[in-house]
Amino acid sequence: MDDSKQHTNSTLTSSRRHKRGVWGWIAISALLVVVGMAAALEILLHRADPILRGRIVETLSTRFDSRVDLDGFHVSVLKGLEVSGDGLRIFPPDDVVAAGATEPLIALKHFSFHANVLGLFQKPMHVGTVKVEGMTISVPPKEARRQAPKSDRHIGKIKIVVDQIECDDSRLIIGTAKPDKEPKEFYLRHIVMHNVGPNSPWRYDATLVNAIPTGEIHAVGTFGPWVNESPGDSSVTGKYTFEHADLNTIKGIAGILSSTGEFTGQLNRIVVDGTTDVPDFSLDTANHPVPLYTKFHAIVDGTSGDTYLQPVDAKLAESEFTCKGEVINIKGKGHQINLDVIVPNGKIQNFLDLAVKQQPAIMTGRLNMKTKLSIRPGDDSVTQKLGLNGQFTLRSIHFVNPEWQDKVDMLSLRAQGKAKQAKPGAEDVHSRMVGNFRMGAGRLRFSRLDYDLPGADINLAGVYSLDGNELDFSGKVRTKAALSNMVATWWKSWLLKPVDPFFRKHGAGAEIPIKISGSKGSPKFGLDLHHKDNEKGN
């Protein structure tokens, strides 16, 4: 029994020693693995800086098929991988550089992102959000591309995938090869881009700052895919809102503008459809707010910075009109605006309320007008830069001032030979006016101004200043009745009969040369004897 117990004890002791040995080796092996992994991780973390720098440069170089420079780079591992960089520049493809495009395609002042340490072991590495400050995208003009075969650049791999990019204080500059044009530039205060993949459009949410008129534009849509060979052909779509834009930043006009719309196309050519609403639009010649609404279709040519309006349907108060034309970018000067304007059946009082200080408007009537409108570049007031060249017809004219209207009514009756009926309030005449005009430097010049009313035609030419301080017209009054028939008393009629033949011309009962001078507040009417002398000389 004692021998048997001793043998059993010896066996148990040996078994225990064996188990302790196995577990010991397991523990030692595990420790070695941990130590090895720790050592490897430590080495990897120490090399995280060059590894990540290389991945960023290779990914961007592959994506844009171009050279990538990075001035500063830093990695911290205290709270995962915290990565930041400065002076990142992505250059255009080699063929575009060879054609003369030397500026970086994309330049970032600073960027940063956070990632899991395990991302170092993943290919491609996944990054949630990259934050960017001071990004400038410079799109070279189409002409800056060489048609020769591309150089053989080493194509790497996409080693980092990003979900979202947030950018503050960015600029988009669309270059032009035209020497007389300025590059088209957009300032983006904040933009977020989602799903930043290489082969599909990126969703974006952007806030742009508009300099003139001052205000912020909010836009959402898609951008891309990015076209390496011709970035200007990269697609862009979106919807925008432009609220509380202050038109007072444009000298000579005032009001608060709101606009909404949609756009689509490429960076080189964007088509915009939208509306604008200015409930208090005014000009500095009158400072009377008038509601202005427009619906427009426009094409923005990114290669020149020019905008083509095709067309604009507008409504000023109760008057509808249309415009077609262009806004031309002139290097170093600003913009030249050229429009063809058609007013088919407007109310003259709406346009007088906008342009003339006097209130209420001096007349009512229906306006038909076709004119070429131009606004030259420069620092002057819009009303000083504004030019018009066209023709108009005014129908159913009625003067608001009863005294003025009475004079027109009595003139009509006398011109018809109804002198005895020519009394205030006797008849309400609606007259008609037709004219050819040019406007510039705050003056209206009429080469022809015909005023027709029952019994009389008035044909004038002259100048009227928008401030009302200059009034200078000359012309003729042609009446149906002779002079002797335009007076009510018999003895005045008898005295005028001898002079009737001198004024009876060209089928008119009387043709009287007249001159209107002075100012709006103090007009002077008289016979233009000088005009009559000139006719005799001819």
Side-chain angles (χ1 to χ4, degrees), residues 101-115:
T102 57
E103 292 295 319
L105 185 64
I106 301 174
L108 311 182
K109 288 184 178 179
H110 180 78
F111 70 89
S112 63
F113 63 85
H114 183 275

Side-chain angles (χ1 to χ4, degrees), residues 300-352:
V300 181
D301 185 350
T303 64
S304 63
D306 299 338
T307 299
Y308 301 93
L309 302 170
Q310 303 175 346
V312 177
D313 296 319
K315 188 174 183 180
L316 180 72
E318 301 168 284
S319 298
E320 296 181 352
F321 61 97
T322 61
C323 306
K324 288 185 179 181
E326 57 192 8
V327 181
I328 302 299
N329 171 29
I330 300 178
K331 186 175 183 179
K333 295 183 179 180
H335 295 87
Q336 170 76 35
I337 300 174
N338 301 313
L339 298 176
D340 291 321
V341 182
I342 298 177
V343 183
N345 188 28
K347 292 186 174 182
I348 184 61
Q349 56 268 35
N350 296 155
F351 294 90
L352 292 174

Side-chain angles (χ1 to χ4, degrees), residues 69-376:
D69 289 347
L70 179 56
D71 293 340
F73 191 75
H74 178 70
V75 178
S76 173
V77 295
L78 295 178
K79 298 179 181 179
L81 289 176
E82 293 182 337
V83 181
S84 63
D86 300 289
L88 175 65
R89 298 180 302 283
I90 304 171
F91 290 87
D94 291 344
D95 57 332
V96 180
V97 172
T102 57
E103 292 295 319
L105 185 64
I106 301 174
L108 311 182
K109 288 184 178 179
H110 180 78
F111 70 89
S112 63
F113 63 85
H114 183 275
N116 195 300
V117 173
L118 295 179
L120 290 172
F121 302 96
Q122 297 173 344
K123 290 185 180 180
M125 180 180 179
H126 180 266
V127 175
T129 300
V130 176
K131 295 187 177 182
V132 174
E133 297 174 9
M135 176 174 69
T136 299
I137 301 176
S138 300
V139 178
K142 279 187 174 182
E143 294 82 356
R145 285 182 290 159
R146 192 176 61 180
Q147 299 302 319
K150 298 180 184 180
S151 60
D152 294 329
R153 174 179 292 279
H154 171 69
I155 303 300
K157 295 181 179 180
I158 300 294
K159 293 187 175 182
I160 298 179
V161 176
V162 177
D163 292 339
Q164 177 175 292
I165 300 177
E166 296 182 4
C167 305
D168 290 321
D169 299 325
S170 304
R171 291 189 304 157
L172 170 62
I173 303 172
I174 303 176
T176 176
K178 299 178 174 70
D180 59 336
K181 301 292 185 181
E182 295 279 6
K184 191 71 174 177
E185 185 169 342
F186 302 89
Y187 173 59
L188 293 84
R189 186 175 63 79
H190 183 73
I191 181 170
V192 179
M193 293 178 285
H194 306 274
N195 301 332
V196 191
N199 301 314
S200 59
W202 305 348
R203 291 187 298 109
Y204 69 84
D205 186 321
T207 300
L208 293 78
V209 177
N210 196 73
I212 300 176
T214 302
E216 289 191 345
I217 302 172
H218 179 234
V220 295
T222 63
F223 174 75
W226 182 271
V227 180
N228 286 337
E229 296 78 12
S230 180
D233 292 332
S234 302
S235 297
V236 61
T237 67
K239 296 181 179 181
Y240 77 89
T241 58
F242 189 18
E243 299 290 344
H244 308 297
D246 188 0
L247 296 181
N248 287 279
T249 54
I250 303 174
K251 190 176 181 180
I253 67 175
I256 300 298
L257 176 145
S258 297
S259 179
T260 61
E262 301 180 353
F263 54 92
T264 185
Q266 296 79 40
L267 292 178
N268 284 332
R269 187 179 185 275
I270 302 174
V271 178
V272 186
D273 290 281
T275 62
T276 67
D277 188 13
V278 187
D280 55 349
F281 182 70
S282 67
L283 300 177
D284 61 358
T285 54
N287 294 318
H288 299 142
V290 180
L292 175 64
Y293 173 85
T294 72
K295 180 180 179 181
F296 64 89
H297 175 79
I299 298 172
V300 181
D301 185 350
T303 64
S304 63
D306 299 338
T307 299
Y308 301 93
L309 302 170
Q310 303 175 346
V312 177
D313 296 319
K315 188 174 183 180
L316 180 72
E318 301 168 284
S319 298
E320 296 181 352
F321 61 97
T322 61
C323 306
K324 288 185 179 181
E326 57 192 8
V327 181
I328 302 299
N329 171 29
I330 300 178
K331 186 175 183 179
K333 295 183 179 180
H335 295 87
Q336 170 76 35
I337 300 174
N338 301 313
L339 298 176
D340 291 321
V341 182
I342 298 177
V343 183
N345 188 28
K347 292 186 174 182
I348 184 61
Q349 56 268 35
N350 296 155
F351 294 90
L352 292 174
D353 285 341
L354 177 67
V356 181
K357 286 184 180 294
Q358 183 174 339
Q359 285 287 297
I362 61 172
M363 67 175 70
T364 63
R366 307 302 302 195
L367 172 66
N368 176 278
M369 180 173 66
K370 292 183 179 180
T371 183
K372 292 188 177 297
L373 180 151
S374 64
I375 302 176
R376 59 178 172 79

